[in-house]
Amino acid sequence: MTRLSLILLAVAFGCDKPGDRNEELTYLREILPAELLDFSHLDLPNRDNIAKMETADGAHLGLRIYPGQPKTHGGIRAEVSLDYPFQPEDTVRYTWKFRLPKDFESDAPQNRWWVIGQWHDQPDRTKDETWKTQPSYSPPISIGIAEIENRLTIGLSYGTTLGDHKQAVSDPIPIQRGDWYTAQADIRWSQTVNGSIELSLVEIPESATLMKGPNMNNAYQHYLKVGMYRHPGIQSENWIHIDQINVTHLTTSKPAKR
């Protein structure tokens, strides 16, 4: 990692998971507007996985994955979770900034799965479903990274993951280590052919990618997770920098239940 004016709160608090909601909010306020804080949480095993990072341009968060870290919800991850409410057939815009540091070590040539953004289904609270009764499925929309021909890239996987359904995969989009990118995803949420996503990196106009078809595993709102979630066999230590997460409705089919 490049040397920044870095506040590693793990030094002050030890190696436990952030202990209460007030502490969690000290991190989340760095990257989220106030109106989204109630929908957001940290999804990581302990304080060694997160840092506030101060630069001349302001503060952002660093999320870290390292060898031997404990699993959280069954996986190796360090993510910010945002459970923004919507109804099927709504169109929602998600934006955030991310950067992979100049010393970021990929999993080439194996390129095992490595997700930096995902939208995941969850139990339908209106039907009193729980994680104990809800089957576990892979996310219907995810953004992964890989290194192809010595170029770091991102790619989009799209489509419901129920049963034997096979997801569509986009062409890879090359990115540069050390550069900030603004991801923008306009998603029309639907269990029908009306579903779609238009994903782009604002700094790379030719990156715009459109994919269509069903994108909800069930009829309840899917939540966004930004950070890193990867194959448990990958053994490198890695950071991703995250800033300016935002979510807004573009169209609404009917009033959302909040």
Side-chain angles (χ1 to χ4, degrees):
M1 175 181 294
T2 56
R3 179 172 292 276
L4 300 168
S5 175
L6 177 64
I7 305 173
L8 267 175
L9 295 193
V11 173
F13 295 109
C15 296
D16 298 326
K17 186 175 182 179
D20 59 34
R21 180 60 174 168
N22 288 333
E23 183 183 352
E24 188 177 43
L25 287 171
T26 65
Y27 295 97
L28 295 171
R29 288 191 182 102
E30 300 295 344
I31 60 171
L32 284 159
E35 60 269 22
L36 293 180
L37 290 174
D38 285 346
F39 306 124
S40 65
H41 294 278
L42 297 175
D43 197 0
L44 44 81
N46 57 54
R47 293 182 182 92
D48 283 344
N49 293 89
I50 191 167
K52 290 185 184 180
M53 310 186 78
E54 299 280 356
T55 72
D57 298 324
H60 60 275
L61 288 186
L63 297 173
R64 173 186 178 228
I65 287 183
Y66 58 90
Q69 77 171 55
K71 289 185 176 181
T72 300
H73 299 138
I76 302 299
R77 67 178 78 243
E79 298 173 297
V80 174
S81 178
L82 183 58
D83 191 10
Y84 180 81
F86 64 84
Q87 297 292 314
E89 307 306 327
D90 289 358
T91 302
V92 182
R93 171 170 289 175
Y94 303 82
T95 60
W96 69 94
K97 298 185 70 172
F98 71 93
R99 175 175 65 182
L100 301 177
K102 290 184 178 179
D103 61 355
F104 187 92
E105 182 181 349
S106 75
D107 190 44
Q110 290 178 277
N111 282 325
R112 290 165 287 190
W113 60 265
W114 194 330
V115 174
I116 62 170
Q118 59 174 311
W119 289 264
H120 210 292
D121 63 289
Q122 61 182 315
D124 189 338
R125 298 175 203 164
T126 68
K127 298 179 180 179
D128 295 323
E129 294 177 352
T130 69
W131 286 111
K132 291 183 178 180
T133 61
Q134 168 85 355
S136 179
Y137 300 109
S138 296
I141 309 176
S142 62
I143 302 169
I145 56 173
E147 186 154 1
I148 301 171
E149 296 180 350
N150 297 316
R151 298 196 70 179
L152 198 61
T153 67
I154 68 166
L156 179 66
S157 297
Y158 181 86
T160 57
T161 54
L162 307 176
D164 296 327
H165 185 274
K166 187 174 182 180
Q167 289 187 297
V169 179
S170 73
D171 292 333
I173 302 169
I175 60 174
Q176 297 290 331
R177 291 172 172 85
D179 288 353
W180 279 103
Y181 295 98
T182 306
Q184 178 175 293
D186 293 348
I187 303 177
R188 180 171 182 179
W189 289 106
S190 181
Q191 291 183 285
T192 76
V193 295
N194 292 333
S196 66
I197 183 173
E198 185 170 2
L199 172 70
S200 64
L201 300 182
V202 174
E203 295 78 8
I204 308 176
E206 62 273 20
S207 67
T209 300
L210 176 65
M211 304 181 85
K212 297 182 178 182
N215 55 27
M216 299 183 73
N217 283 342
N218 62 8
Y220 193 70
Q221 65 198 42
H222 290 31
Y223 59 98
L224 170 67
K225 302 185 79 178
V226 174
M228 288 188 292
Y229 171 50
R230 73 183 187 191
H231 189 287
I234 301 173
Q235 293 299 306
S236 56
E237 177 182 346
N238 295 89
W239 288 84
I240 187 171
H241 302 163
I242 302 293
D243 202 5
Q244 297 180 24
I245 300 176
N246 205 358
V247 186
T248 55
H249 262 79
L250 298 182
T251 66
T252 304
S253 59
K254 53 186 176 181
K257 296 178 181 179
R258 292 178 181 258

